[in-house]
Amino acid sequence: MTDLDSAFAALGDPVRRALVSRLAHGDATVSELAAPFDLTQQAISHHVGVLRRCGLVEQRREGTRRPCRLRVDQLALLGGWVDEQRRVWDDRLDTLARALDEES
């Protein structure tokens, strides 16, 4: 299960957001993930580890390869939380707008 605090903290880093965006298109190894960045493979491994620990990415062994996969189900949990907050604020703003209209 994804810990919301650690997942949002992980996504606060632009490199990790870019990795999540890349993995949304399909599985990739750390070396494949590192290709577009001016970072070492070790640095990308660190970022992947952060994403793994918060539950957004999983990594498996396929012989000598260790492809990473985005946990879309866990990402959807974050989206659900954001959607709920949006609904709450939309309701509050609608209530405020009605109150202001009644005063006019």
Side-chain angles (χ1 to χ4, degrees):
M1 169 157 267
T2 299
D3 170 30
L4 287 177
D5 292 341
S6 63
F8 281 119
L11 293 173
D13 183 280
V15 171
R16 290 192 281 268
R17 286 193 308 273
L19 294 175
V20 167
S21 293
R22 165 54 185 88
L23 289 170
H25 296 282
D27 298 359
T29 64
V30 169
S31 62
E32 292 167 339
L33 291 171
F37 294 97
D38 187 24
L39 296 171
T40 65
Q41 243 182 286
Q42 184 178 8
I44 296 297
S45 288
H46 167 76
H47 288 295
V48 167
V50 171
L51 293 169
R52 279 184 28 239
R53 285 189 293 281
C54 73
L56 294 176
V57 168
E58 64 184 9
Q59 199 170 19
R60 65 191 186 287
R61 286 194 189 276
E62 289 181 356
T64 59
R65 296 183 72 231
R66 296 192 67 206
C68 302
R69 171 178 287 158
L70 183 62
R71 301 267 327 265
V72 178
D73 59 329
Q74 299 303 306
L75 198 59
L77 293 175
L78 298 180
W81 184 87
V82 169
D83 289 344
E84 178 60 27
Q85 300 313 304
R86 184 179 301 117
R87 280 190 293 276
V88 167
W89 279 100
D90 284 347
D91 290 347
R92 291 180 78 178
L93 292 172
D94 288 346
T95 301
L96 177 61
R98 281 192 301 274
L100 292 172
D101 285 344
E102 290 172 6
E103 287 185 13
S104 305

